Amino acid sequence: MADTDTRSPARSRRTRRSKPRPETLVAYYRQMLLIRRFEERAARAYTEAKIGGYCHLNLGEEPTITGLMAALEPSDYLFTNYREHGYALARGIEARRVMAELYGRSTGVSKGWGGSMHLFDTGTRLLGGYGIVGGQLPLATGAALAISYRGGDEVVMCQMGDGTTNIGAFHESLNMAALWDLPIVYVVINNGLGMGTTVDQSSAEPELYRRAAAYRIEGARVDGTDVIAVREAAHAAIERAREEKKPFLLETTSPRLRGHSVVDPARYRTAEEKEQLKAADPLARFALELEESGVLDAEAREKLDAEVKAEVDDAAAFADDSPHPDVSTLFDYTYATPVPGESRRLPADPVF
Amino acid sequence: MADTDTRSPARSRRTRRSKPRPETLVAYYRQMLLIRRFEERAARAYTEAKIGGYCHLNLGEEPTITGLMAALEPSDYLFTNYREHGYALARGIEARRVMAELYGRSTGVSKGWGGSMHLFDTGTRLLGGYGIVGGQLPLATGAALAISYRGGDEVVMCQMGDGTTNIGAFHESLNMAALWDLPIVYVVINNGLGMGTTVDQSSAEPELYRRAAAYRIEGARVDGTDVIAVREAAHAAIERAREEKKPFLLETTSPRLRGHSVVDPARYRTAEEKEQLKAADPLARFALELEESGVLDAEAREKLDAEVKAEVDDAAAFADDSPHPDVSTLFDYTYATPVPGESRRLPADPVF
Amino acid sequence: MATVTYRQALRDTLRAEMLRDEDVFLMGEEIGVFEGSYKITEGLLKEFGPRRVRDTPIAEEGFVGAAIGAAMLGLRPVVEIMTINFSLLALDQIVNHAAKIYGMFGGQCSVPMVIRTPGGGGQQLGATHSQNVELFYSFIPGLKVLAPSTPAEASAMLKAAIRDDDPVLFLENLALYNTKGEVPDDVTPAEIGRAAVTREGTDITIIAYSRMAHVAAEVAEKLAADGVSAEVVDLRSLRPLDRETVVASVRRTGCAVIAEDDWLTYGIGAEIAATIQEGAFDWLDAPVRRVAMAEVPLPYSKPLELAALPSAESLVTAVRDTLAATGRR
Amino acid sequence: MATVTYRQALRDTLRAEMLRDEDVFLMGEEIGVFEGSYKITEGLLKEFGPRRVRDTPIAEEGFVGAAIGAAMLGLRPVVEIMTINFSLLALDQIVNHAAKIYGMFGGQCSVPMVIRTPGGGGQQLGATHSQNVELFYSFIPGLKVLAPSTPAEASAMLKAAIRDDDPVLFLENLALYNTKGEVPDDVTPAEIGRAAVTREGTDITIIAYSRMAHVAAEVAEKLAADGVSAEVVDLRSLRPLDRETVVASVRRTGCAVIAEDDWLTYGIGAEIAATIQEGAFDWLDAPVRRVAMAEVPLPYSKPLELAALPSAESLVTAVRDTLAATGRR
Ligand SMILES: Cc1ncc(C[n+]2csc(CCOP(=O)(O)OP(=O)(O)O)c2C)c(N)n1
Ligand SMILES: Cc1ncc(C[n+]2csc(CCOP(=O)(O)OP(=O)(O)O)c2C)c(N)n1
Ligand SMILES: [Mg+2]
Ligand SMILES: [Mg+2]
């Protein structure tokens, strides 16, 4: 399936042999829809104060996520930034457990300790959403080093935003990955903005995949609104990483349909820009394509939507019904190997 | 004199119009010799325990330094790493004041507070040698920002080693310089090694000047053992930075004739490598060239050498005779604006 | 005299200083187009343009270092780091460069810059976004660290920080931005390095700073209703530390509790307690107690977070316990 | 039982652990070809090859972060940071990642790694290369911080650190590498979090760690000749902090002096003093004093550096002053 012999695998998708099958397309659509509805539900829950902290949504990123996750094997590892609800869902984690984490409940993927930005799941090898910009890059690189050390054939995917390519950890990580021939695919989700800052304002080389050249790494850019294109590009990069033990830098482009986080009204966007964004909604476009090509008619789509909506409502209800972590567990996760003298003091407790 | 209209100024030296005049060549030779003898004297003083701490020498780097400093205007600013004695000398600081700093005396350029790694001189705009690898890059970038902010026409030169191109600050600094059109020339002194690590082992793109492309900055590599080539390349880069307000990345290649610092026996180098290094001494080569071209015969060279040796001996004697900083000055430089409550406590003093 | 929020006081002061001195300019992530993550710089890009309100890439080490370099050439950059958590990425530039340049080069070059940054937990931001690490800066000779708790202080201290020739870490707090207070029309710059007795009392001294200074005031009020007269000392400056004011107060009251938002062990309060026992040893009727954050990576979960954070209740408990330990009644 | 240097004890222990467990490997700048900036890893590249002794680029944040990531997958990296000064560049990875991952993700993933790094002034390395910033790590829940002072302890504690499932900051000291001591042939891993009374005494407790533990021992010996019986407590573990051992000692002796190599204000000793006044309040006959570095960016000049650093002499002075303050004689 993979074009592992090409030097620029991500660019080779046009030469692919077979068209995806209708059920695959429908499954992808359903996944995108799940992410969409989940995020809309999360936004609502946030305004209802069910969710706290920061909450960043994947609206507009659904085809990218779906394509990337379709290409990643279950045994592969995934590190992401804080904008990762959709990744968790597409990786196969139950919507219930993801929503419960957003609600801060003990049934959440991180037992309520992480929240929206810090989803983690050992089973699906989602090794964390991270809130410090760039923080996940050295970690993911180290995970790839561990694979290489053990001679394993897993691959690490490390997702990040466009703005993240300007931080030092990007440079240090890609350099190490290239020096040490690590099986890792860095994916830059170029949504045009880091908060309110455009790519042009923050990256002196705005064609971000080109930065790979500074480490003699292969790079490519792919249209992140095209789920199949993303899947193919990611697949080629991942399989090349697996076979040849070479890192890759894949850039995907997609719109960020709303503000940076739920609370950001994005005043820095003009009314026209906001209008254009609506038209740019890749999910609507994909629905239309599927309808036009006879893969999914309006009725079937409505049915899917109802199904997905029920799933998301169930997730929210589950989260809402789930218990908060018990205060007695406050000191349970400071150390994996407990020690004498470890402080388990509440604020009013004396030292002696 | 400058080829300010070329896109790749550093590569254009072959098209230069006039050959350098003999007196210029002799002056350059004298400067290189001064650096050489100064460094040899410093090494000796170190073994005599006149100099403490770390002491990194510019042996092999003399033509590079001389060429770079010839291209820099007095009003320009210079930031370097800790391997900077030669830069201080070539910038025009008296050998006495440089040696006195190495000796930790109050007559030293940094009043004995900085030592070998931390030479600073307001008059010649040497804004510091820095001991943290990469630390000088953001600072130099900020100095260029200040120039740009004020609309000045000075340029900043920021020197660093090859190993330094792998640290995050390199990436963050070059990106900002390019985004903001700052008048700065980054110079990478590629001496093949960072301590015992080769460029190939530390930089996934070992042609370091190419890394400029990740910021759409122009870059070039020049033979650092050729003083004229260095001067021309630097001149073009500096004048382009001045006129067009564009950063530049200049890589120079030169041998590191000894260990990383005075105390490093460089055991990781084979006997052959060490032998080859002797043959690679650029100063000996330059002396031969000058002799063969009739610019400086053996006798004149000996005379120069005696002169330079006297200068260096005088510097060492001056340093040795200079007073140590008085212990009463210990608290003089913690704050520029003193404040009440500032601690001036010696180790045995009580808090109350 | 106007009643404004802490946020507004900061904004007005930045604006006034920029109008006063062309060398003052702002740098940081999202301070321009986005108008500040917490809107402190609202409207300033529009008024002053991108030269003086500079949006930076996400590169804390780089842009903080660049501000230091600009300050070395005599400008007076005021840098915003979005939250103090992200300042860890710039720590080398702050500790090894900003704090060292004046001394390491023998007093030839000062670094007149300000780093504004908020600390604060309690917003469910999780373990990496809820820390109070002002300790890291307060420990460093060469830095000054200010932590105003009211709009008036924020204004007076920010002015002083901008005009000071040394690098100043100016600690704000997420929970304070919307608090209100009176600010004089023409604020006099504060004297750096002075704590303040913000409430006089005779039975016990409560020492606090930033957000906890409010909690301390609230607790003192509550205790007064019960007949306990608590004195409140707001440290205001963490470096230099005004030991005299703290010790003088405890010499009057005979006992003390410290309220801090950071972790207890090695936290800011440790130095305060160490200072008190050394400076008021013969006056102390009970050990100095500290009320601080539970020593855990702060969890996202609301009930866990609430349990971990110091509060008025925990402070009241510690005060009552301390008074009981004095054996006075 | 052999008499070896602190350096040799570290090297032997690294080697033994690598032989014992294939998951243990080394990473850091110049640890392989160069054999370590301070030659701790001498010969190990030759013996184990580049897979297990990995030279890294100069990228503290990157390689420390990579070690964390490798530890997340179950390996046991032992990272060398050339000196603790450079660890500031990796602080975000250590504090915001290594220390948080276990808690922030609800205990799903531990980070079994060790960061070895020396502190220490007194080598004329100047302001940025002579700092003792173990405080930064000791303050952080989620990290463990060990500071052995003898070859035997270095060996036992390094073993324990490598086998522990949490991130451990293992503090060495430039001035200790050449010191010698006996090390048992088959060292038992130390119990993490225990201080030790390294000399018993009745008149006063001197509390120290790392290099200053030696100075404390030297001073205790000197004082014994004058008829003063000083007890010495070597903290050994800065986090967790063994408060019980410290307080129990002071309850016996009635007074204490702390000797530390970092800066006084907010330094490690502040917590020790705060702990003692809280835990031994009724036993204390005099305020707890601290002997620490003068609060300046450490100058290169030898006489200035000597004046700034704590020494046996300054410790003796503080001990005598403290004994005098007890009014016992
Ligand atoms: C080190 C650090 N600096 C700043 C922030 C604040 N911050 C959070 S998200 C963000 C923008 C990131 O942009 P990008 O990488 O493009 O990702 P996106 O949000 O668009 O997915 C910033 C600046 C942070 N979390 N960490
Ligand atoms: C941040 C940091 N890490 C490590 C060191 C230790 N160190 C000092 S010099 C050096 C090698 C630098 O190599 P390069 O940049 O090539 O400069 P050169 O010494 O060859 O001039 C290293 C690793 C340091 N000073 N700072
Ligand atoms: Mg983005
Ligand atoms: Mg080099």
Short mmCIF file of all heavy atoms in Angstrom, two decimals, chain B residues 56 61 81-83 117 131-134 159-165 167 189-195 197 256 260, chain C residues 92, chain D residues 29-30 37 58-60 82 86 89 129, ligand 2:
data_model
loop_
_atom_site.label_atom_id
_atom_site.label_comp_id
_atom_site.label_asym_id
_atom_site.label_seq_id
_atom_site.Cartn_x
_atom_site.Cartn_y
_atom_site.Cartn_z
N HIS B 56 39.63 29.32 26.71
CA HIS B 56 39.51 28.80 25.35
C HIS B 56 40.30 29.69 24.40
O HIS B 56 40.15 30.91 24.44
CB HIS B 56 38.04 28.78 24.91
CG HIS B 56 37.12 28.16 25.93
ND1 HIS B 56 36.62 28.88 26.98
CD2 HIS B 56 36.62 26.91 26.03
CE1 HIS B 56 35.82 28.09 27.70
NE2 HIS B 56 35.81 26.89 27.16
N GLU B 61 42.20 30.27 14.42
CA GLU B 61 41.09 31.15 14.05
C GLU B 61 41.59 32.57 13.71
O GLU B 61 40.79 33.45 13.40
CB GLU B 61 40.14 31.20 15.25
CG GLU B 61 38.72 31.64 14.99
CD GLU B 61 37.84 31.49 16.25
OE1 GLU B 61 38.07 30.53 17.04
OE2 GLU B 61 36.94 32.33 16.44
N ASN B 81 31.02 34.34 21.64
CA ASN B 81 31.01 33.32 22.68
C ASN B 81 32.23 33.53 23.59
O ASN B 81 32.87 34.58 23.55
CB ASN B 81 30.92 31.91 22.08
CG ASN B 81 32.16 31.50 21.30
OD1 ASN B 81 33.17 32.22 21.27
ND2 ASN B 81 32.10 30.37 20.64
N TYR B 82 32.56 32.52 24.34
CA TYR B 82 33.63 32.54 25.34
C TYR B 82 35.02 32.41 24.72
O TYR B 82 36.01 32.47 25.43
CB TYR B 82 33.41 31.34 26.28
CG TYR B 82 33.10 30.15 25.43
CD1 TYR B 82 34.10 29.41 24.84
CD2 TYR B 82 31.77 29.86 25.08
CE1 TYR B 82 33.81 28.40 23.95
CE2 TYR B 82 31.48 28.84 24.20
CZ TYR B 82 32.50 28.11 23.63
OH TYR B 82 32.22 27.12 22.74
N ARG B 83 35.10 32.17 23.44
CA ARG B 83 36.40 31.98 22.78
C ARG B 83 36.70 33.28 22.04
O ARG B 83 36.64 33.34 20.82
CB ARG B 83 36.31 30.79 21.80
CG ARG B 83 37.65 30.27 21.29
CD ARG B 83 37.48 29.18 20.23
NE ARG B 83 36.84 27.97 20.71
CZ ARG B 83 37.44 27.04 21.46
NH1 ARG B 83 38.70 27.19 21.80
NH2 ARG B 83 36.76 25.99 21.86
N MET B 117 36.20 34.24 29.67
CA MET B 117 34.98 34.01 28.88
C MET B 117 34.10 35.24 28.74
O MET B 117 33.15 35.22 27.96
CB MET B 117 34.15 32.89 29.52
CG MET B 117 34.86 31.56 29.63
SD MET B 117 33.72 30.18 29.91
CE MET B 117 33.19 30.48 31.59
N GLY B 131 29.42 32.71 28.09
CA GLY B 131 29.82 31.34 28.35
C GLY B 131 28.72 30.31 28.18
O GLY B 131 28.99 29.12 28.12
N ILE B 132 27.48 30.75 28.15
CA ILE B 132 26.38 29.82 27.92
C ILE B 132 26.24 29.66 26.41
O ILE B 132 26.00 30.64 25.70
CB ILE B 132 25.08 30.38 28.51
CG1 ILE B 132 25.20 30.65 30.01
CG2 ILE B 132 23.90 29.45 28.19
CD1 ILE B 132 25.30 29.42 30.89
N VAL B 133 26.39 28.45 25.94
CA VAL B 133 26.32 28.23 24.49
C VAL B 133 25.00 28.76 23.93
O VAL B 133 23.93 28.38 24.42
CB VAL B 133 26.50 26.73 24.15
CG1 VAL B 133 26.00 26.42 22.74
CG2 VAL B 133 27.96 26.32 24.29
N GLY B 134 25.09 29.63 22.97
CA GLY B 134 23.89 30.18 22.34
C GLY B 134 23.32 31.39 23.05
O GLY B 134 22.46 32.08 22.50
N GLN B 159 28.91 36.33 16.76
CA GLN B 159 29.78 35.17 16.51
C GLN B 159 29.31 33.98 17.34
O GLN B 159 28.78 34.16 18.44
CB GLN B 159 31.22 35.60 16.88
CG GLN B 159 32.27 34.53 16.73
CD GLN B 159 32.56 33.81 18.04
OE1 GLN B 159 31.75 33.78 18.96
NE2 GLN B 159 33.72 33.20 18.12
N MET B 160 29.50 32.80 16.79
CA MET B 160 29.16 31.58 17.54
C MET B 160 29.98 30.41 16.97
O MET B 160 30.58 30.53 15.92
CB MET B 160 27.67 31.27 17.41
CG MET B 160 27.29 30.70 16.06
SD MET B 160 25.52 30.67 15.72
CE MET B 160 25.26 32.32 15.06
N GLY B 161 29.95 29.28 17.65
CA GLY B 161 30.63 28.09 17.14
C GLY B 161 29.70 27.20 16.35
O GLY B 161 28.48 27.38 16.36
N ASP B 162 30.28 26.23 15.66
CA ASP B 162 29.46 25.30 14.88
C ASP B 162 28.46 24.53 15.74
O ASP B 162 27.29 24.37 15.38
CB ASP B 162 30.38 24.30 14.14
CG ASP B 162 31.44 23.70 15.03
OD1 ASP B 162 32.49 24.35 15.21
OD2 ASP B 162 31.24 22.60 15.56
N GLY B 163 28.92 24.07 16.91
CA GLY B 163 28.04 23.28 17.77
C GLY B 163 26.82 24.07 18.23
O GLY B 163 25.78 23.48 18.56
N THR B 164 26.96 25.37 18.22
CA THR B 164 25.92 26.27 18.71
C THR B 164 24.72 26.34 17.78
O THR B 164 23.64 26.79 18.17
CB THR B 164 26.56 27.65 18.93
OG1 THR B 164 27.69 27.48 19.80
CG2 THR B 164 25.60 28.64 19.55
N THR B 165 24.90 25.91 16.54
CA THR B 165 23.78 25.99 15.60
C THR B 165 22.68 24.97 15.93
O THR B 165 21.63 24.98 15.31
CB THR B 165 24.24 25.75 14.14
OG1 THR B 165 24.76 24.43 14.04
CG2 THR B 165 25.29 26.76 13.74
N ILE B 167 21.32 24.55 19.01
CA ILE B 167 20.56 24.90 20.21
C ILE B 167 19.37 25.77 19.82
O ILE B 167 19.40 26.50 18.83
CB ILE B 167 21.49 25.56 21.26
CG1 ILE B 167 20.92 25.36 22.66
CG2 ILE B 167 21.76 27.02 20.94
CD1 ILE B 167 21.94 25.44 23.76
N ILE B 189 31.62 30.13 13.40
CA ILE B 189 33.02 29.72 13.27
C ILE B 189 33.03 28.19 13.28
O ILE B 189 32.95 27.57 14.33
CB ILE B 189 33.85 30.24 14.48
CG1 ILE B 189 33.67 31.74 14.67
CG2 ILE B 189 35.33 29.86 14.30
CD1 ILE B 189 34.14 32.60 13.52
N ASN B 190 33.07 27.64 12.10
CA ASN B 190 33.09 26.18 12.00
C ASN B 190 34.53 25.70 12.12
O ASN B 190 35.29 25.72 11.16
CB ASN B 190 32.46 25.74 10.68
CG ASN B 190 32.36 24.22 10.59
OD1 ASN B 190 32.99 23.51 11.37
ND2 ASN B 190 31.59 23.74 9.64
N ASN B 191 34.86 25.28 13.33
CA ASN B 191 36.21 24.72 13.54
C ASN B 191 36.13 23.20 13.62
O ASN B 191 37.03 22.54 14.14
CB ASN B 191 36.87 25.33 14.78
CG ASN B 191 36.08 25.07 16.05
OD1 ASN B 191 35.12 24.30 16.04
ND2 ASN B 191 36.45 25.72 17.13
N GLY B 192 35.03 22.67 13.12
CA GLY B 192 34.91 21.22 12.98
C GLY B 192 34.47 20.49 14.23
O GLY B 192 34.02 19.36 14.16
N LEU B 193 34.57 21.16 15.36
CA LEU B 193 34.31 20.49 16.63
C LEU B 193 33.57 21.39 17.62
O LEU B 193 33.83 22.59 17.69
CB LEU B 193 35.63 20.08 17.29
CG LEU B 193 36.43 18.94 16.69
CD1 LEU B 193 37.82 18.90 17.31
CD2 LEU B 193 35.72 17.60 16.88
N GLY B 194 32.73 20.78 18.40
CA GLY B 194 32.26 21.36 19.65
C GLY B 194 32.83 20.45 20.72
O GLY B 194 32.43 19.29 20.79
N MET B 195 33.78 20.92 21.45
CA MET B 195 34.56 20.07 22.36
C MET B 195 35.10 18.87 21.57
O MET B 195 35.94 19.05 20.70
CB MET B 195 33.74 19.68 23.60
CG MET B 195 33.36 20.94 24.41
SD MET B 195 32.54 20.65 26.00
CE MET B 195 33.82 19.93 26.98
N THR B 197 33.01 16.74 19.78
CA THR B 197 31.97 16.28 18.87
C THR B 197 32.11 16.94 17.50
O THR B 197 32.15 18.17 17.41
CB THR B 197 30.58 16.60 19.47
OG1 THR B 197 30.51 16.04 20.78
CG2 THR B 197 29.47 16.03 18.62
N ARG B 256 40.74 24.05 14.60
CA ARG B 256 41.01 24.36 16.01
C ARG B 256 42.32 23.65 16.34
O ARG B 256 42.35 22.44 16.47
CB ARG B 256 39.87 23.83 16.89
CG ARG B 256 39.85 24.42 18.30
CD ARG B 256 38.89 23.66 19.21
NE ARG B 256 39.45 22.36 19.57
CZ ARG B 256 38.74 21.34 20.05
NH1 ARG B 256 37.43 21.46 20.21
NH2 ARG B 256 39.32 20.20 20.37
N HIS B 260 39.88 21.80 23.22
CA HIS B 260 38.74 22.70 23.40
C HIS B 260 39.11 23.89 24.29
O HIS B 260 38.79 25.03 23.98
CB HIS B 260 37.56 21.94 24.01
CG HIS B 260 36.45 22.83 24.46
ND1 HIS B 260 35.69 23.56 23.59
CD2 HIS B 260 35.99 23.12 25.70
CE1 HIS B 260 34.79 24.27 24.26
NE2 HIS B 260 34.96 24.02 25.55
N ASP C 92 16.96 30.70 31.29
CA ASP C 92 18.39 30.91 31.07
C ASP C 92 18.67 32.35 30.68
O ASP C 92 19.62 32.97 31.17
CB ASP C 92 18.90 29.97 29.97
CG ASP C 92 20.29 30.33 29.54
OD1 ASP C 92 21.23 30.11 30.34
OD2 ASP C 92 20.48 30.88 28.44
N GLU D 29 25.89 15.62 26.62
CA GLU D 29 26.92 16.25 25.79
C GLU D 29 28.29 15.73 26.20
O GLU D 29 28.63 15.74 27.38
CB GLU D 29 26.88 17.77 25.98
CG GLU D 29 25.63 18.41 25.39
CD GLU D 29 25.39 19.82 25.91
OE1 GLU D 29 26.28 20.37 26.57
OE2 GLU D 29 24.29 20.35 25.66
N GLU D 30 29.03 15.28 25.24
CA GLU D 30 30.45 14.96 25.44
C GLU D 30 30.69 13.81 26.41
O GLU D 30 31.77 13.68 26.98
CB GLU D 30 31.22 16.21 25.92
CG GLU D 30 31.06 17.42 25.02
CD GLU D 30 31.62 17.21 23.61
OE1 GLU D 30 32.55 16.39 23.45
OE2 GLU D 30 31.13 17.85 22.66
N SER D 37 32.82 15.71 30.39
CA SER D 37 33.49 16.96 30.67
C SER D 37 34.33 16.80 31.93
O SER D 37 35.42 17.35 32.03
CB SER D 37 32.43 18.03 30.88
OG SER D 37 32.86 19.25 30.39
N ILE D 58 24.46 19.99 21.32
CA ILE D 58 24.29 20.97 22.41
C ILE D 58 22.85 21.44 22.34
O ILE D 58 22.49 22.31 21.53
CB ILE D 58 25.26 22.15 22.27
CG1 ILE D 58 26.69 21.63 22.09
CG2 ILE D 58 25.19 23.04 23.52
CD1 ILE D 58 27.69 22.72 21.75
N ALA D 59 22.01 20.84 23.12
CA ALA D 59 20.57 21.07 23.03
C ALA D 59 19.94 20.53 24.31
O ALA D 59 19.25 19.52 24.29
CB ALA D 59 20.02 20.35 21.79
N GLU D 60 20.21 21.22 25.41
CA GLU D 60 19.78 20.70 26.72
C GLU D 60 18.29 20.43 26.76
O GLU D 60 17.85 19.41 27.29
CB GLU D 60 20.16 21.69 27.83
CG GLU D 60 21.61 21.60 28.30
CD GLU D 60 22.60 22.28 27.37
OE1 GLU D 60 22.17 22.92 26.39
OE2 GLU D 60 23.81 22.19 27.63
N MET D 82 26.03 18.95 31.81
CA MET D 82 27.45 19.22 32.10
C MET D 82 27.66 19.96 33.42
O MET D 82 28.52 19.58 34.19
CB MET D 82 28.03 19.99 30.93
CG MET D 82 29.44 19.60 30.58
SD MET D 82 30.01 20.55 29.17
CE MET D 82 29.71 19.42 27.83
N PHE D 86 23.63 24.86 33.16
CA PHE D 86 23.05 24.66 31.83
C PHE D 86 21.67 24.00 31.92
O PHE D 86 20.92 23.97 30.95
CB PHE D 86 23.97 23.81 30.95
CG PHE D 86 25.41 24.25 30.96
CD1 PHE D 86 26.44 23.35 30.81
CD2 PHE D 86 25.73 25.60 31.14
CE1 PHE D 86 27.77 23.75 30.82
CE2 PHE D 86 27.06 26.02 31.16
CZ PHE D 86 28.09 25.09 31.01
N LEU D 89 18.36 25.67 30.79
CA LEU D 89 17.83 25.58 29.43
C LEU D 89 16.85 24.43 29.29
O LEU D 89 16.06 24.39 28.35
CB LEU D 89 18.99 25.41 28.45
CG LEU D 89 19.75 26.72 28.22
CD1 LEU D 89 21.20 26.45 27.87
CD2 LEU D 89 19.08 27.53 27.14
N HIS D 129 28.58 30.24 35.50
CA HIS D 129 29.03 28.85 35.56
C HIS D 129 29.30 28.38 36.98
O HIS D 129 29.95 27.36 37.17
CB HIS D 129 30.30 28.67 34.73
CG HIS D 129 30.06 28.55 33.25
ND1 HIS D 129 29.37 29.49 32.53
CD2 HIS D 129 30.43 27.60 32.35
CE1 HIS D 129 29.34 29.12 31.26
NE2 HIS D 129 29.97 27.99 31.12
C1 LIG E 2 24.16 25.72 27.22
C2 LIG E 2 25.51 25.17 27.34
N1 LIG E 2 25.70 23.84 27.19
C3 LIG E 2 26.93 23.31 27.27
C4 LIG E 2 28.01 24.11 27.52
C5 LIG E 2 29.40 23.49 27.60
N2 LIG E 2 30.19 23.83 26.41
C6 LIG E 2 31.03 24.86 26.42
S1 LIG E 2 31.75 25.09 24.94
C7 LIG E 2 30.93 23.80 24.25
C8 LIG E 2 31.16 23.44 22.80
C9 LIG E 2 30.75 24.52 21.88
O1 LIG E 2 31.10 24.20 20.58
P1 LIG E 2 31.10 25.25 19.40
O2 LIG E 2 29.81 25.99 19.39
O3 LIG E 2 31.46 24.56 18.16
O4 LIG E 2 32.20 26.32 19.81
P2 LIG E 2 33.78 26.15 19.93
O5 LIG E 2 34.08 25.79 21.35
O6 LIG E 2 34.22 25.13 18.95
O7 LIG E 2 34.34 27.50 19.64
C10 LIG E 2 30.12 23.19 25.19
C11 LIG E 2 29.27 22.03 24.93
C12 LIG E 2 27.77 25.47 27.70
N3 LIG E 2 28.77 26.32 27.97
N4 LIG E 2 26.54 25.98 27.59
#
